[in-house]
DNA sequence: TATTGTTATACTCTATAACTATA
DNA sequence: TATAGTTATAGAGTATAACAATA
């Protein structure tokens, strides 16, 4: 009898170690994201940025940088790319002309929607041993356990 | 009333997106691992390698490289370091003198034990919203869902 | 000729540090 | 003087590819 070999796997050592399991799953996800999201026309980082624009309403690019946990220079370059492709728009904040308000365009929202579908499919593919209900359980535990959103003291204005 | 601000957080955008939650949690874990494991005298990658040596009984360095998902050159350098510090030992496989059998020493096993405790503490710290039972639930879901261990066709000999 | 381990090289990614403008 | 954004540089980390030894 022919058994289907798993495409992605983690060492047995991860079995009893929550840290290795999480870091491993996250690493696999990051490695695969760029390829799997390609049909949506965005890479993993751009997907994260679009999602942040929609859900977190950041008041400046610096705030995006903090939410993303990456250096500002990186975000600037990424937003440059997204803007050139019409997925986001930059407008100066009239109240403080140093700040760039970044907003998601209709094209950007469409790319984000496609990205969401592809990302969900990737998660399903990564967890061959879980059914839909268990994946939902996993998501609920993560969302409940982690601190989401920037603390007020780190928010612009 | 003074509230304790969370040390680590993810964008709100991650809330309804399992992929972003997992990638984010894994990323935070990877970023923090080196600092948090320092008291055990090892970094994140060395912790992974020691755990693999104990649990997966790899037959060659190439097999470690596959389990780790990193290039062989990287593993060679890491094992060099670990060997110089007495945490692992290298012996040539008499049956096939091309292969290096890498084994964990007593000192290595001790470092791994300390690393396990520190890694568990880090996970608890990362999930301020979960109690011990919920963290166990999270571990069970991950372990059940992911494919663990190398497929036979990828194993040495 | 194929495989393991090793070494050396090149490249990608990221952070750091200046610099400009606004406040 | 401090902050947002931007640009330019340098360093770390990684993969790729060449090499040596064994099969």
């Amino acid at each position: 009898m022919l058994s289907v070999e798993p495409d992605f796997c983690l060492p047995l050592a991860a079995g009893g170690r929550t840290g290795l399991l999480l870091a491993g799953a996250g690493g696999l996800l990051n490695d695969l994201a760029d390829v799997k999201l390609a049909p949506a026309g965005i890479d993993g980082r751009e997907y994260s940025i679009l999602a942040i624009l929609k859900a977190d309403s950041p008041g400046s690019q610096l705030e995006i940088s903090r939410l993303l946990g990456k250096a500002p220079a990186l975000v600037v370059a990424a937003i440059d790319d997204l803007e050139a492709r019409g997925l986001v728009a930059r407008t100066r904040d009239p109240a403080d002309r140093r700040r760039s308000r970044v907003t998601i365009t209709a094209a950007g929202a469409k790319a984000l929607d496609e990205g969401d579908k592809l990302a969900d499919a990737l998660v399903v593919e990564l967890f061959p041993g879980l059914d839909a209900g268990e994946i939902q359980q996993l998501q609920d535990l993560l969302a409940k356990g982690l601190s989401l959103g920037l603390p007020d003291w780190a928010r612009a204005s």
Side-chain angles (χ1 to χ4, degrees), chain A:
Chain A
M1 161 172 175
L2 221 63
S3 71
V4 180
E5 296 291 355
D7 286 326
F8 325 110
C9 42
L10 254 42
L12 293 173
R17 295 178 168 92
T18 317
L20 283 187
L21 280 172
L22 269 172
L28 285 174
L29 228 32
N30 270 316
D31 289 345
L32 298 166
D34 289 355
V35 179
K36 298 291 182 178
L37 291 176
I42 50 178
D43 64 22
R45 166 160 309 148
E46 292 165 342
Y47 171 64
S48 299
I49 292 179
L50 291 177
I52 286 175
L53 288 180
K54 182 173 180 186
D56 294 76
S57 309
S60 69
Q61 293 186 177
L62 270 187
E63 211 169 292
I64 300 175
S65 145
R66 293 193 199 105
L67 286 162
L68 210 55
K70 300 291 172 186
L74 224 71
V75 175
V76 171
I79 302 274
D80 281 347
D81 273 5
L82 288 169
E83 188 184 29
R85 281 183 281 147
L87 301 183
V88 306
R90 258 198 273 232
T91 57
R92 285 281 164 189
D93 184 337
D96 182 345
R97 295 182 41 71
R98 289 172 304 179
R99 285 186 194 153
S100 276
R101 288 240 160 219
V102 185
T103 52
I104 190 168
T105 65
K110 187 170 168 243
L112 175 59
D113 280 345
E114 294 173 15
D116 278 334
K117 292 194 187 73
L118 294 167
D120 285 347
L122 171 54
V123 169
V124 168
E125 190 179 359
L126 194 67
F127 291 99
L130 297 188
D131 61 34
E134 287 167 324
I135 287 181
Q136 184 63 48
Q137 236 184 303
L138 181 63
Q139 175 180 311
D140 291 343
L141 279 171
L142 291 169
K144 180 186 177 194
L146 294 164
S147 301
L148 297 185
L150 269 188
D152 289 340
W153 54 262
R155 298 194 69 88
S157 151

